[in-house]
Amino acid sequence: MTQHLQKPKITKVETVARSRLFTIESVDLTFSNGAERVYERMRPTDREAVMIIPVIDDELVLIQEYAVGIESYELGFPKGLIDPGESILEAANRELMEEVGFGARHFDVLAKLTMAPSYFSSRMNIVIAKDLYLKSLEGDEPEPLPQTRWPISRMMELLQHPDFCEARNVSALFLAHDFLTRNAR
């Protein structure tokens, strides 16, 4: 049985830092039991992102992309922000063309995930792309993104790959495994 919780009251929000990409806010909260705390968060936004799991024949297509936060290359699925006015599937197809050089004729939306919701309001839509065709668009990547094809029959072995460890990619892998297993019957 789920307990009904009363959200804390926000008593003050103040911008404490700003960069080209981020605005950090200090948020004063009063909880229902009277406890008061000050939290920090990235300024909330309604803009969402999309992560695409491309499937060609019986393989997944992954890319290697530099992640400055960990100063290393990550093996993962293509992803990007949804532009204003764009649908999830339009953004998925655009990002797929920009980062992988393929378009897709069929998409399945698997889930919408949050990332570090204590600090961010971001949401990532996880999508499987099938029936791919060659189509490239110029993106904003500073270098080509090398591709890796991975057999669906061994997809869970990606969990042992040292460069496949970003939490959204791992979550997308589990969601894709469940979906592809259920739909293979």
Side-chain angles (χ1 to χ4, degrees), residues 6-11 28-37:
Q6 184 178 341
K7 288 183 3 181
K9 181 180 179 191
I10 296 175
T11 58
D28 294 6
L29 299 171
T30 302
F31 288 80
S32 60
N33 64 359
E36 295 180 346
R37 296 288 188 278

Side-chain angles (χ1 to χ4, degrees), residues 116-137:
S118 294
Y119 303 101
F120 301 103
S121 65
S122 68
R123 288 176 167 64
M124 176 72 74
N125 297 274
I126 309 298
V127 176
I128 286 190
K130 291 183 175 178
D131 195 10
L132 274 55
Y133 57 92
L134 286 172
K135 174 77 176 180
S136 291
L137 287 177

Side-chain angles (χ1 to χ4, degrees), residues 99-116:
E99 296 189 2
V100 184
F102 284 94
R105 292 182 186 90
H106 181 83
F107 293 96
D108 290 291
V109 178
L110 302 184
K112 186 181 294 197
L113 305 176
T114 58
M115 179 185 71

Side-chain angles (χ1 to χ4, degrees), residues 78-92:
K79 62 192 167 304
L81 288 172
I82 298 172
D83 289 339
E86 216 174 22
S87 73
I88 293 168
L89 300 183
E90 289 168 337

